[in-house]
Amino acid sequence: MRTALLQSSGRPGSVVGNLKVLDEAAGRAAAAGAGLVVAPEMFLTGYAIGDDIGRLAEAADGDSADAVAEIAGRQGVAIAYGYPERAGDAVFNSAQLVSADGVRLANYRKTHLFGCFERDHFTPGERSVVQAELGGLRVGILICYDVEFPENVRAHALAGTELLVVPTAQMHPFQFVAESMIPVRAFENQMYVAYVNRVGREGEFEFVGLSTLAGPDGVARTRAGRGDDLVLADVDRAFLAASRETNPYLQDRRPGLYGSLV
């Protein structure tokens, strides 16, 4: 499945503006043969928007979700995107996956909140593995900091995730995560990882871009630069199956030795 990584900070504070950016990118991705577009963390509203996070937060099935579903259906491409989700009095840093026919397939709430900014504005989620079937692939979702905990990614590997999508807001000076950690996570867990970042300065943060799709061989299939970009690469299920046959990491585990880790 050809996968498009939309590297952009969009229009912070403007849901309407960000929907337009997403619509245009989805059209370009579909024209290039993509079956999935992945947008960054908090893409629908912007990340560093302070108390506007609470004001702009919506239910998982709210008006913005309907708008994304309409874009996906009209452009004929699945979309994964980050947004602030309101559920009662709680606000979650969430990501949702919508199919190419506009059906909401999965919604994930970030479990590991990074820094005071996130802990001040969000409630942590409680489910580490959220998956859906898309284009013959088992797709899982994590958000940014979540992927830096090896337990999270290994849990996805053991649950059969083949493509892990990771909307992110990775900031300076942590670019080594995109450059080095993501290919290693893909290799050690025998999966594809699509890590899709914001760019530029936003409030107190400087986002580093460098979005990448890494394969189970630890090789980046595509990598964006530091500015707005739309890059594409293929997720090859046959290659993944062959890689899992030759790489014994998951088969050679000895879980009985690891109890002390938890």
Side-chain angles (χ1 to χ4, degrees), residues 211-248:
S211 299
T212 189
L213 178 66
D217 53 359
V219 175
R221 299 299 192 271
T222 187
R223 188 183 295 281
R226 297 297 188 103
D228 286 353
D229 210 344
L230 183 72
V231 296
L232 296 95
D234 291 329
V235 174
D236 185 337
R237 198 162 188 261
F239 181 86
L240 176 60
S243 182
R244 287 179 172 180
E245 282 291 318
T246 59
N247 185 318

PDB file of all heavy atoms in Angstrom, residues 211-248:
ATOM      1  N   SER A 211      10.182  13.554   8.672  1.00  0.00           N
ATOM      2  CA  SER A 211       9.228  12.446   8.626  1.00  0.00           C
ATOM      3  C   SER A 211       9.802  11.291   7.813  1.00  0.00           C
ATOM      4  O   SER A 211      10.489  11.504   6.805  1.00  0.00           O
ATOM      5  CB  SER A 211       7.915  12.910   7.987  1.00  0.00           C
ATOM      6  OG  SER A 211       7.329  13.950   8.734  1.00  0.00           O
ATOM      7  N   THR A 212       9.501  10.072   8.242  1.00  0.00           N
ATOM      8  CA  THR A 212      10.067   8.917   7.553  1.00  0.00           C
ATOM      9  C   THR A 212       9.134   7.724   7.592  1.00  0.00           C
ATOM     10  O   THR A 212       8.314   7.585   8.495  1.00  0.00           O
ATOM     11  CB  THR A 212      11.419   8.522   8.197  1.00  0.00           C
ATOM     12  OG1 THR A 212      12.058   7.534   7.400  1.00  0.00           O
ATOM     13  CG2 THR A 212      11.236   7.985   9.607  1.00  0.00           C
ATOM     14  N   LEU A 213       9.259   6.882   6.580  1.00  0.00           N
ATOM     15  CA  LEU A 213       8.643   5.560   6.578  1.00  0.00           C
ATOM     16  C   LEU A 213       9.783   4.554   6.574  1.00  0.00           C
ATOM     17  O   LEU A 213      10.541   4.457   5.605  1.00  0.00           O
ATOM     18  CB  LEU A 213       7.750   5.361   5.350  1.00  0.00           C
ATOM     19  CG  LEU A 213       7.104   3.983   5.233  1.00  0.00           C
ATOM     20  CD1 LEU A 213       6.107   3.752   6.355  1.00  0.00           C
ATOM     21  CD2 LEU A 213       6.418   3.805   3.891  1.00  0.00           C
ATOM     22  N   ALA A 214       9.934   3.824   7.682  1.00  0.00           N
ATOM     23  CA  ALA A 214      11.012   2.852   7.824  1.00  0.00           C
ATOM     24  C   ALA A 214      10.464   1.449   7.656  1.00  0.00           C
ATOM     25  O   ALA A 214       9.347   1.142   8.088  1.00  0.00           O
ATOM     26  CB  ALA A 214      11.688   2.991   9.183  1.00  0.00           C
ATOM     27  N   GLY A 215      11.256   0.578   7.033  1.00  0.00           N
ATOM     28  CA  GLY A 215      10.849  -0.799   6.786  1.00  0.00           C
ATOM     29  C   GLY A 215      11.396  -1.759   7.814  1.00  0.00           C
ATOM     30  O   GLY A 215      12.227  -1.397   8.662  1.00  0.00           O
ATOM     31  N   PRO A 216      10.984  -3.025   7.763  1.00  0.00           N
ATOM     32  CA  PRO A 216      11.417  -4.022   8.738  1.00  0.00           C
ATOM     33  C   PRO A 216      12.897  -4.380   8.626  1.00  0.00           C
ATOM     34  O   PRO A 216      13.429  -5.062   9.508  1.00  0.00           O
ATOM     35  CB  PRO A 216      10.528  -5.229   8.426  1.00  0.00           C
ATOM     36  CG  PRO A 216      10.156  -5.055   6.989  1.00  0.00           C
ATOM     37  CD  PRO A 216      10.022  -3.588   6.789  1.00  0.00           C
ATOM     38  N   ASP A 217      13.544  -3.919   7.566  1.00  0.00           N
ATOM     39  CA  ASP A 217      14.992  -4.092   7.446  1.00  0.00           C
ATOM     40  C   ASP A 217      15.761  -2.921   8.052  1.00  0.00           C
ATOM     41  O   ASP A 217      16.989  -2.862   7.957  1.00  0.00           O
ATOM     42  CB  ASP A 217      15.389  -4.271   5.977  1.00  0.00           C
ATOM     43  CG  ASP A 217      14.855  -3.162   5.085  1.00  0.00           C
ATOM     44  OD1 ASP A 217      14.148  -2.257   5.592  1.00  0.00           O
ATOM     45  OD2 ASP A 217      15.127  -3.202   3.863  1.00  0.00           O
ATOM     46  N   GLY A 218      15.059  -1.978   8.666  1.00  0.00           N
ATOM     47  CA  GLY A 218      15.706  -0.830   9.278  1.00  0.00           C
ATOM     48  C   GLY A 218      16.107   0.254   8.307  1.00  0.00           C
ATOM     49  O   GLY A 218      16.822   1.184   8.675  1.00  0.00           O
ATOM     50  N   VAL A 219      15.625   0.166   7.084  1.00  0.00           N
ATOM     51  CA  VAL A 219      15.973   1.129   6.042  1.00  0.00           C
ATOM     52  C   VAL A 219      14.810   2.090   5.829  1.00  0.00           C
ATOM     53  O   VAL A 219      13.656   1.665   5.703  1.00  0.00           O
ATOM     54  CB  VAL A 219      16.315   0.413   4.724  1.00  0.00           C
ATOM     55  CG1 VAL A 219      16.558   1.412   3.606  1.00  0.00           C
ATOM     56  CG2 VAL A 219      17.535  -0.481   4.918  1.00  0.00           C
ATOM     57  N   ALA A 220      15.115   3.388   5.782  1.00  0.00           N
ATOM     58  CA  ALA A 220      14.097   4.397   5.509  1.00  0.00           C
ATOM     59  C   ALA A 220      13.709   4.330   4.043  1.00  0.00           C
ATOM     60  O   ALA A 220      14.556   4.480   3.162  1.00  0.00           O
ATOM     61  CB  ALA A 220      14.613   5.787   5.867  1.00  0.00           C
ATOM     62  N   ARG A 221      12.433   4.103   3.769  1.00  0.00           N
ATOM     63  CA  ARG A 221      11.952   4.062   2.395  1.00  0.00           C
ATOM     64  C   ARG A 221      11.796   5.469   1.810  1.00  0.00           C
ATOM     65  O   ARG A 221      11.871   5.665   0.606  1.00  0.00           O
ATOM     66  CB  ARG A 221      10.600   3.335   2.324  1.00  0.00           C
ATOM     67  CG  ARG A 221      10.654   1.892   2.778  1.00  0.00           C
ATOM     68  CD  ARG A 221      11.616   1.089   1.880  1.00  0.00           C
ATOM     69  NE  ARG A 221      11.492  -0.343   2.099  1.00  0.00           N
ATOM     70  CZ  ARG A 221      12.186  -1.023   3.004  1.00  0.00           C
ATOM     71  NH1 ARG A 221      13.055  -0.393   3.771  1.00  0.00           N
ATOM     72  NH2 ARG A 221      12.033  -2.337   3.140  1.00  0.00           N
ATOM     73  N   THR A 222      11.538   6.426   2.668  1.00  0.00           N
ATOM     74  CA  THR A 222      11.471   7.824   2.254  1.00  0.00           C
ATOM     75  C   THR A 222      11.744   8.667   3.489  1.00  0.00           C
ATOM     76  O   THR A 222      11.514   8.229   4.620  1.00  0.00           O
ATOM     77  CB  THR A 222      10.101   8.176   1.642  1.00  0.00           C
ATOM     78  OG1 THR A 222      10.135   9.501   1.101  1.00  0.00           O
ATOM     79  CG2 THR A 222       8.986   8.117   2.683  1.00  0.00           C
ATOM     80  N   ARG A 223      12.247   9.877   3.266  1.00  0.00           N
ATOM     81  CA  ARG A 223      12.484  10.785   4.387  1.00  0.00           C
ATOM     82  C   ARG A 223      12.312  12.215   3.899  1.00  0.00           C
ATOM     83  O   ARG A 223      12.902  12.618   2.895  1.00  0.00           O
ATOM     84  CB  ARG A 223      13.881  10.606   4.973  1.00  0.00           C
ATOM     85  CG  ARG A 223      14.071  11.400   6.267  1.00  0.00           C
ATOM     86  CD  ARG A 223      15.479  11.272   6.803  1.00  0.00           C
ATOM     87  NE  ARG A 223      15.845   9.936   7.227  1.00  0.00           N
ATOM     88  CZ  ARG A 223      15.476   9.393   8.387  1.00  0.00           C
ATOM     89  NH1 ARG A 223      14.697  10.058   9.213  1.00  0.00           N
ATOM     90  NH2 ARG A 223      15.887   8.180   8.710  1.00  0.00           N
ATOM     91  N   ALA A 224      11.493  12.975   4.588  1.00  0.00           N
ATOM     92  CA  ALA A 224      11.300  14.383   4.264  1.00  0.00           C
ATOM     93  C   ALA A 224      12.431  15.220   4.843  1.00  0.00           C
ATOM     94  O   ALA A 224      13.210  14.750   5.682  1.00  0.00           O
ATOM     95  CB  ALA A 224       9.957  14.864   4.808  1.00  0.00           C
ATOM     96  N   GLY A 225      12.491  16.478   4.413  1.00  0.00           N
ATOM     97  CA  GLY A 225      13.481  17.403   4.937  1.00  0.00           C
ATOM     98  C   GLY A 225      12.942  18.159   6.137  1.00  0.00           C
ATOM     99  O   GLY A 225      12.210  17.614   6.963  1.00  0.00           O
ATOM    100  N   ARG A 226      13.251  19.458   6.209  1.00  0.00           N
ATOM    101  CA  ARG A 226      12.861  20.264   7.368  1.00  0.00           C
ATOM    102  C   ARG A 226      11.671  21.181   7.085  1.00  0.00           C
ATOM    103  O   ARG A 226      11.247  21.907   7.975  1.00  0.00           O
ATOM    104  CB  ARG A 226      14.057  21.114   7.817  1.00  0.00           C
ATOM    105  CG  ARG A 226      15.267  20.325   8.302  1.00  0.00           C
ATOM    106  CD  ARG A 226      14.955  19.506   9.550  1.00  0.00           C
ATOM    107  NE  ARG A 226      16.152  18.894  10.114  1.00  0.00           N
ATOM    108  CZ  ARG A 226      16.784  19.344  11.189  1.00  0.00           C
ATOM    109  NH1 ARG A 226      16.344  20.412  11.820  1.00  0.00           N
ATOM    110  NH2 ARG A 226      17.857  18.723  11.642  1.00  0.00           N
ATOM    111  N   GLY A 227      11.148  21.186   5.858  1.00  0.00           N
ATOM    112  CA  GLY A 227      10.038  22.061   5.519  1.00  0.00           C
ATOM    113  C   GLY A 227       8.787  21.279   5.167  1.00  0.00           C
ATOM    114  O   GLY A 227       8.755  20.042   5.228  1.00  0.00           O
ATOM    115  N   ASP A 228       7.737  22.009   4.798  1.00  0.00           N
ATOM    116  CA  ASP A 228       6.501  21.354   4.373  1.00  0.00           C
ATOM    117  C   ASP A 228       6.786  20.392   3.221  1.00  0.00           C
ATOM    118  O   ASP A 228       7.546  20.719   2.302  1.00  0.00           O
ATOM    119  CB  ASP A 228       5.480  22.387   3.908  1.00  0.00           C
ATOM    120  CG  ASP A 228       4.866  23.169   5.059  1.00  0.00           C
ATOM    121  OD1 ASP A 228       5.135  22.821   6.224  1.00  0.00           O
ATOM    122  OD2 ASP A 228       4.120  24.125   4.790  1.00  0.00           O
ATOM    123  N   ASP A 229       6.170  19.212   3.277  1.00  0.00           N
ATOM    124  CA  ASP A 229       6.467  18.219   2.252  1.00  0.00           C
ATOM    125  C   ASP A 229       5.361  17.172   2.237  1.00  0.00           C
ATOM    126  O   ASP A 229       4.601  17.023   3.197  1.00  0.00           O
ATOM    127  CB  ASP A 229       7.814  17.546   2.550  1.00  0.00           C
ATOM    128  CG  ASP A 229       8.541  17.090   1.298  1.00  0.00           C
ATOM    129  OD1 ASP A 229       7.890  17.009   0.229  1.00  0.00           O
ATOM    130  OD2 ASP A 229       9.744  16.819   1.386  1.00  0.00           O
ATOM    131  N   LEU A 230       5.276  16.463   1.137  1.00  0.00           N
ATOM    132  CA  LEU A 230       4.431  15.280   1.004  1.00  0.00           C
ATOM    133  C   LEU A 230       5.296  14.225   0.338  1.00  0.00           C
ATOM    134  O   LEU A 230       5.624  14.331  -0.841  1.00  0.00           O
ATOM    135  CB  LEU A 230       3.185  15.571   0.172  1.00  0.00           C
ATOM    136  CG  LEU A 230       2.201  14.402   0.031  1.00  0.00           C
ATOM    137  CD1 LEU A 230       1.466  14.153   1.352  1.00  0.00           C
ATOM    138  CD2 LEU A 230       1.198  14.665  -1.091  1.00  0.00           C
ATOM    139  N   VAL A 231       5.689  13.215   1.098  1.00  0.00           N
ATOM    140  CA  VAL A 231       6.558  12.166   0.568  1.00  0.00           C
ATOM    141  C   VAL A 231       5.813  10.848   0.608  1.00  0.00           C
ATOM    142  O   VAL A 231       4.946  10.620   1.459  1.00  0.00           O
ATOM    143  CB  VAL A 231       7.889  12.072   1.350  1.00  0.00           C
ATOM    144  CG1 VAL A 231       8.684  13.356   1.178  1.00  0.00           C
ATOM    145  CG2 VAL A 231       7.649  11.788   2.822  1.00  0.00           C
ATOM    146  N   LEU A 232       6.149   9.965  -0.333  1.00  0.00           N
ATOM    147  CA  LEU A 232       5.429   8.705  -0.482  1.00  0.00           C
ATOM    148  C   LEU A 232       6.395   7.533  -0.530  1.00  0.00           C
ATOM    149  O   LEU A 232       7.532   7.662  -1.020  1.00  0.00           O
ATOM    150  CB  LEU A 232       4.584   8.708  -1.758  1.00  0.00           C
ATOM    151  CG  LEU A 232       3.453   9.727  -1.840  1.00  0.00           C
ATOM    152  CD1 LEU A 232       3.924  10.973  -2.562  1.00  0.00           C
ATOM    153  CD2 LEU A 232       2.240   9.135  -2.530  1.00  0.00           C
ATOM    154  N   ALA A 233       5.924   6.395  -0.027  1.00  0.00           N
ATOM    155  CA  ALA A 233       6.679   5.149  -0.126  1.00  0.00           C
ATOM    156  C   ALA A 233       5.700   3.992   0.000  1.00  0.00           C
ATOM    157  O   ALA A 233       4.579   4.158   0.493  1.00  0.00           O
ATOM    158  CB  ALA A 233       7.752   5.067   0.954  1.00  0.00           C
ATOM    159  N   ASP A 234       6.129   2.818  -0.429  1.00  0.00           N
ATOM    160  CA  ASP A 234       5.265   1.645  -0.437  1.00  0.00           C
ATOM    161  C   ASP A 234       5.490   0.772   0.797  1.00  0.00           C
ATOM    162  O   ASP A 234       6.625   0.543   1.222  1.00  0.00           O
ATOM    163  CB  ASP A 234       5.519   0.807  -1.686  1.00  0.00           C
ATOM    164  CG  ASP A 234       5.045   1.500  -2.956  1.00  0.00           C
ATOM    165  OD1 ASP A 234       4.073   2.264  -2.871  1.00  0.00           O
ATOM    166  OD2 ASP A 234       5.659   1.287  -4.017  1.00  0.00           O
ATOM    167  N   VAL A 235       4.403   0.278   1.347  1.00  0.00           N
ATOM    168  CA  VAL A 235       4.429  -0.749   2.381  1.00  0.00           C
ATOM    169  C   VAL A 235       4.150  -2.073   1.682  1.00  0.00           C
ATOM    170  O   VAL A 235       3.064  -2.279   1.134  1.00  0.00           O
ATOM    171  CB  VAL A 235       3.371  -0.463   3.462  1.00  0.00           C
ATOM    172  CG1 VAL A 235       3.292  -1.621   4.454  1.00  0.00           C
ATOM    173  CG2 VAL A 235       3.688   0.843   4.186  1.00  0.00           C
ATOM    174  N   ASP A 236       5.146  -2.952   1.672  1.00  0.00           N
ATOM    175  CA  ASP A 236       5.102  -4.193   0.902  1.00  0.00           C
ATOM    176  C   ASP A 236       4.882  -5.366   1.855  1.00  0.00           C
ATOM    177  O   ASP A 236       5.794  -5.765   2.589  1.00  0.00           O
ATOM    178  CB  ASP A 236       6.420  -4.352   0.142  1.00  0.00           C
ATOM    179  CG  ASP A 236       6.431  -5.553  -0.788  1.00  0.00           C
ATOM    180  OD1 ASP A 236       5.646  -6.503  -0.554  1.00  0.00           O
ATOM    181  OD2 ASP A 236       7.233  -5.548  -1.736  1.00  0.00           O
ATOM    182  N   ARG A 237       3.677  -5.924   1.833  1.00  0.00           N
ATOM    183  CA  ARG A 237       3.352  -6.994   2.774  1.00  0.00           C
ATOM    184  C   ARG A 237       4.164  -8.258   2.490  1.00  0.00           C
ATOM    185  O   ARG A 237       4.531  -8.987   3.419  1.00  0.00           O
ATOM    186  CB  ARG A 237       1.862  -7.298   2.704  1.00  0.00           C
ATOM    187  CG  ARG A 237       1.325  -8.052   3.898  1.00  0.00           C
ATOM    188  CD  ARG A 237      -0.181  -7.953   3.998  1.00  0.00           C
ATOM    189  NE  ARG A 237      -0.657  -8.527   5.245  1.00  0.00           N
ATOM    190  CZ  ARG A 237      -1.150  -9.754   5.347  1.00  0.00           C
ATOM    191  NH1 ARG A 237      -1.219 -10.525   4.273  1.00  0.00           N
ATOM    192  NH2 ARG A 237      -1.570 -10.210   6.508  1.00  0.00           N
ATOM    193  N   ALA A 238       4.451  -8.534   1.223  1.00  0.00           N
ATOM    194  CA  ALA A 238       5.256  -9.712   0.880  1.00  0.00           C
ATOM    195  C   ALA A 238       6.675  -9.563   1.417  1.00  0.00           C
ATOM    196  O   ALA A 238       7.261 -10.516   1.943  1.00  0.00           O
ATOM    197  CB  ALA A 238       5.273  -9.910  -0.633  1.00  0.00           C
ATOM    198  N   PHE A 239       7.238  -8.345   1.285  1.00  0.00           N
ATOM    199  CA  PHE A 239       8.581  -8.108   1.830  1.00  0.00           C
ATOM    200  C   PHE A 239       8.578  -8.265   3.346  1.00  0.00           C
ATOM    201  O   PHE A 239       9.516  -8.819   3.934  1.00  0.00           O
ATOM    202  CB  PHE A 239       9.067  -6.715   1.439  1.00  0.00           C
ATOM    203  CG  PHE A 239      10.455  -6.395   1.930  1.00  0.00           C
ATOM    204  CD1 PHE A 239      11.554  -6.756   1.182  1.00  0.00           C
ATOM    205  CD2 PHE A 239      10.649  -5.763   3.149  1.00  0.00           C
ATOM    206  CE1 PHE A 239      12.838  -6.500   1.637  1.00  0.00           C
ATOM    207  CE2 PHE A 239      11.932  -5.491   3.606  1.00  0.00           C
ATOM    208  CZ  PHE A 239      13.027  -5.859   2.848  1.00  0.00           C
ATOM    209  N   LEU A 240       7.529  -7.775   3.992  1.00  0.00           N
ATOM    210  CA  LEU A 240       7.423  -7.900   5.446  1.00  0.00           C
ATOM    211  C   LEU A 240       7.389  -9.362   5.863  1.00  0.00           C
ATOM    212  O   LEU A 240       8.081  -9.772   6.804  1.00  0.00           O
ATOM    213  CB  LEU A 240       6.171  -7.173   5.932  1.00  0.00           C
ATOM    214  CG  LEU A 240       5.858  -7.288   7.427  1.00  0.00           C
ATOM    215  CD1 LEU A 240       6.988  -6.738   8.273  1.00  0.00           C
ATOM    216  CD2 LEU A 240       4.553  -6.581   7.753  1.00  0.00           C
ATOM    217  N   ALA A 241       6.600 -10.170   5.157  1.00  0.00           N
ATOM    218  CA  ALA A 241       6.510 -11.594   5.490  1.00  0.00           C
ATOM    219  C   ALA A 241       7.865 -12.278   5.332  1.00  0.00           C
ATOM    220  O   ALA A 241       8.277 -13.079   6.177  1.00  0.00           O
ATOM    221  CB  ALA A 241       5.465 -12.267   4.613  1.00  0.00           C
ATOM    222  N   ALA A 242       8.575 -11.940   4.257  1.00  0.00           N
ATOM    223  CA  ALA A 242       9.897 -12.534   4.038  1.00  0.00           C
ATOM    224  C   ALA A 242      10.881 -12.089   5.110  1.00  0.00           C
ATOM    225  O   ALA A 242      11.704 -12.880   5.593  1.00  0.00           O
ATOM    226  CB  ALA A 242      10.411 -12.148   2.652  1.00  0.00           C
ATOM    227  N   SER A 243      10.799 -10.828   5.505  1.00  0.00           N
ATOM    228  CA  SER A 243      11.685 -10.311   6.536  1.00  0.00           C
ATOM    229  C   SER A 243      11.435 -11.006   7.867  1.00  0.00           C
ATOM    230  O   SER A 243      12.379 -11.362   8.590  1.00  0.00           O
ATOM    231  CB  SER A 243      11.476  -8.797   6.677  1.00  0.00           C
ATOM    232  OG  SER A 243      12.358  -8.250   7.639  1.00  0.00           O
ATOM    233  N   ARG A 244      10.177 -11.227   8.193  1.00  0.00           N
ATOM    234  CA  ARG A 244       9.850 -11.900   9.445  1.00  0.00           C
ATOM    235  C   ARG A 244      10.311 -13.358   9.445  1.00  0.00           C
ATOM    236  O   ARG A 244      10.592 -13.928  10.509  1.00  0.00           O
ATOM    237  CB  ARG A 244       8.345 -11.813   9.710  1.00  0.00           C
ATOM    238  CG  ARG A 244       7.895 -10.416  10.120  1.00  0.00           C
ATOM    239  CD  ARG A 244       6.393 -10.346  10.357  1.00  0.00           C
ATOM    240  NE  ARG A 244       6.012  -9.058  10.931  1.00  0.00           N
ATOM    241  CZ  ARG A 244       4.768  -8.720  11.243  1.00  0.00           C
ATOM    242  NH1 ARG A 244       3.778  -9.577  11.026  1.00  0.00           N
ATOM    243  NH2 ARG A 244       4.514  -7.535  11.772  1.00  0.00           N
ATOM    244  N   GLU A 245      10.399 -13.951   8.256  1.00  0.00           N
ATOM    245  CA  GLU A 245      10.905 -15.320   8.158  1.00  0.00           C
ATOM    246  C   GLU A 245      12.392 -15.398   8.483  1.00  0.00           C
ATOM    247  O   GLU A 245      12.867 -16.370   9.071  1.00  0.00           O
ATOM    248  CB  GLU A 245      10.654 -15.874   6.750  1.00  0.00           C
ATOM    249  CG  GLU A 245       9.229 -16.327   6.506  1.00  0.00           C
ATOM    250  CD  GLU A 245       8.879 -17.569   7.296  1.00  0.00           C
ATOM    251  OE1 GLU A 245       9.724 -18.497   7.371  1.00  0.00           O
ATOM    252  OE2 GLU A 245       7.774 -17.617   7.853  1.00  0.00           O
ATOM    253  N   THR A 246      13.142 -14.374   8.068  1.00  0.00           N
ATOM    254  CA  THR A 246      14.598 -14.406   8.217  1.00  0.00           C
ATOM    255  C   THR A 246      15.095 -13.722   9.478  1.00  0.00           C
ATOM    256  O   THR A 246      16.205 -13.994   9.934  1.00  0.00           O
ATOM    257  CB  THR A 246      15.287 -13.766   7.003  1.00  0.00           C
ATOM    258  OG1 THR A 246      14.847 -12.405   6.865  1.00  0.00           O
ATOM    259  CG2 THR A 246      14.942 -14.522   5.728  1.00  0.00           C
ATOM    260  N   ASN A 247      14.293 -12.848  10.065  1.00  0.00           N
ATOM    261  CA  ASN A 247      14.699 -12.153  11.287  1.00  0.00           C
ATOM    262  C   ASN A 247      13.986 -12.808  12.468  1.00  0.00           C
ATOM    263  O   ASN A 247      12.769 -12.747  12.571  1.00  0.00           O
ATOM    264  CB  ASN A 247      14.333 -10.668  11.205  1.00  0.00           C
ATOM    265  CG  ASN A 247      14.841  -9.876  12.407  1.00  0.00           C
ATOM    266  OD1 ASN A 247      14.760 -10.326  13.539  1.00  0.00           O
ATOM    267  ND2 ASN A 247      15.358  -8.689  12.150  1.00  0.00           N
ATOM    268  N   PRO A 248      14.725 -13.425  13.395  1.00  0.00           N
ATOM    269  CA  PRO A 248      14.091 -14.233  14.442  1.00  0.00           C
ATOM    270  C   PRO A 248      13.768 -13.486  15.729  1.00  0.00           C
ATOM    271  O   PRO A 248      13.434 -14.119  16.734  1.00  0.00           O
ATOM    272  CB  PRO A 248      15.154 -15.304  14.704  1.00  0.00           C
ATOM    273  CG  PRO A 248      16.448 -14.561  14.520  1.00  0.00           C
ATOM    274  CD  PRO A 248      16.193 -13.576  13.390  1.00  0.00           C
TER     275      PRO A 248
END
